[in-house]
Amino acid sequence: MKISTKGRYAVRLMIDLAEHNHGEFIPLMDIAKRQEISEKYLESIVSVLSKSNLLISLRGKGGGYKLAKNPEDYTVGSILRLTEGSLAPVSCLEGEVNDCTRACHCRTLPMWEGFNKLINDYFDGITIADLVSGSDYSDDYII
Amino acid sequence: MKISTKGRYAVRLMIDLAEHNHGEFIPLMDIAKRQEISEKYLESIVSVLSKSNLLISLRGKGGGYKLAKNPEDYTVGSILRLTEGSLAPVSCLEGEVNDCTRACHCRTLPMWEGFNKLINDYFDGITIADLVSGSDYSDDYII
DNA sequence: TTAATTTACTATCAATTTAGTAGGAATAAA
DNA sequence: TTTATTCCTACTAAATTGATAGTAAATTAA
């Protein structure tokens, strides 16, 4: 039950872009050095964000990446769903329909559904701007 | 970010034992048939639960497994932490100390800590008895 | 005592996912 | 034309997942 490096690195990349958000394009190399992540690996992550138009990219000299929106307009949920593929904690909750044959009488399904909602609500309630400003989440969302 | 079959099967196994909880030992074969899970695979899962004394086992004819406590005394959290290894959503939150060199200034750590707490609190708030009685969790824990 | 039943233990394995690496083509600016 | 940068395709090693197989040990009933 782990968030993979893809998702974690993507969030760090977005924070880095937000912290260095001065209108210019930022080369991936700069981000890779600051974040101590292989540029080549980061490249595969940034391409997902770029293709989905979360980022604007420019090739060639003076090129790089920059945010397409303001930091407060990116939820962590939207970034993780993209880079992790899905935030569903069980595969039967992925996609539109549940095609599990046991679904109709499954004793555990409601628990997974509740958990799925909790995950998505939690990460949709946090923006990149929140992470840059350094809010503390460890005591929030007491259940 | 998935709960593996180990954890999910373990919960189903515990529910099955709770639903057939009549004092007798229940052979694994019976559970495997009812739950449509390979007996051999279930064996590797049940051994973890048995070694940690969540279950009582007896070999030989008339043997099998039964719950060591009442269904309401098992939280789903305790079962998942055991079978999944850990419920921590990022590896730096596993164990007692965080040895990540970035931890002291990590912009994302508070978010992961908050998420970790959310996960553990959610599953520690659900017991096997809850699952047997069929409570609905999809609208609980609104954040 | 023997046969049947059941857990316990050890080893193996194929498929998938994770976490990267490598090389070069396309593009843009100086 | 040189330099810097993204974009694209392919490859790979290691770990994890989800099992399967065979046998030993224990227990009970006939």
Side-chain angles (χ1 to χ4, degrees):
Chain A
M1 246 282 296
K2 292 274 180 298
I3 301 281
S4 75
T5 54
K6 275 219 156 115
R8 291 188 284 118
Y9 289 179
V11 173
R12 283 169 57 185
L13 181 139
M14 296 297 282
I15 293 171
D16 192 286
L17 283 174
E19 285 182 327
H20 300 85
N21 195 14
H22 40 50
E24 307 279 297
F25 286 92
I26 299 167
L28 199 57
M29 174 71 90
D30 293 5
I31 305 171
K33 277 184 183 156
R34 280 193 293 260
Q35 298 296 323
E36 298 170 281
I37 301 170
S38 139
E39 188 193 351
K40 275 292 180 187
Y41 186 41
L42 211 46
E43 194 185 297
S44 65
I45 295 165
V46 87
S47 83
V48 179
L49 300 168
S50 192
K51 278 176 189 161
S52 302
N53 301 311
L54 270 75
L55 299 179
I56 299 168
S57 67
L58 182 71
R59 290 185 184 186
K61 210 164 192 171
Y65 299 92
K66 64 179 175 185
L67 298 183
K69 301 183 290 182
N70 292 323
E72 59 267 30
D73 295 327
Y74 296 95
T75 69
V76 173
S78 67
I79 296 162
L80 290 182
R81 274 187 296 270
L82 211 60
T83 49
E84 293 284 299
S86 154
L87 280 175
V90 287
S91 52
C92 64
L93 291 179
E94 276 173 338
E96 298 302 304
V97 289
N98 186 337
D99 53 2
C100 173
T101 57
R102 305 180 70 88
C104 58
H105 57 278
C106 180
R107 292 241 177 277
T108 55
L109 184 54
M111 176 177 71
W112 303 131
E113 286 171 340
F115 187 46
N116 189 39
K117 180 166 161 47
L118 204 67
I119 294 170
N120 284 277
D121 286 353
Y122 179 73
F123 287 120
D124 283 338
I126 304 174
T127 71
I128 292 301
D130 293 333
L131 296 180
V132 169
S133 74
S135 311
D136 184 356
Y137 297 89
S138 46
D139 288 325
D140 288 7
Y141 306 99
I142 292 177
I143 63 173
Chain B
M1 244 283 294
K2 291 276 179 296
I3 302 279
S4 75
T5 53
K6 275 218 156 113
R8 291 188 284 118
Y9 289 179
V11 173
R12 283 169 56 185
L13 181 138
M14 295 298 282
I15 293 171
D16 191 286
L17 282 173
E19 284 182 328
H20 300 85
N21 195 13
H22 41 51
E24 307 278 297
F25 287 93
I26 299 167
L28 199 56
M29 173 72 89
D30 293 6
I31 305 172
K33 277 184 184 159
R34 279 193 294 260
Q35 298 295 323
E36 297 170 279
I37 300 171
S38 136
E39 188 194 349
K40 274 294 179 186
Y41 187 41
L42 211 47
E43 191 186 300
S44 65
I45 296 165
V46 87
S47 82
V48 178
L49 301 168
S50 191
K51 278 175 187 162
S52 301
N53 300 312
L54 271 73
L55 299 179
I56 299 167
S57 67
L58 183 71
R59 291 185 185 186
K61 211 166 193 171
Y65 299 93
K66 64 179 175 184
L67 299 182
K69 302 184 288 183
N70 293 323
E72 59 267 29
D73 295 326
Y74 296 94
T75 68
V76 173
S78 66
I79 296 162
L80 290 181
R81 274 188 296 271
L82 210 60
T83 50
E84 294 283 299
S86 153
L87 279 175
V90 288
S91 52
C92 64
L93 291 179
E94 275 172 341
E96 298 301 304
V97 290
N98 186 338
D99 53 1
C100 173
T101 57
R102 306 180 69 88
C104 57
H105 56 277
C106 180
R107 292 241 176 277
T108 55
L109 183 55
M111 176 177 70
W112 302 132
E113 285 171 341
F115 187 46
N116 189 39
K117 181 166 160 45
L118 203 66
I119 293 170
N120 283 277
D121 285 353
Y122 179 72
F123 288 120
D124 283 338
I126 304 174
T127 71
I128 293 299
D130 293 332
L131 296 179
V132 169
S133 74
S135 310
D136 184 357
Y137 296 89
S138 45
D139 287 324
D140 286 8
Y141 306 100
I142 291 177
I143 64 174

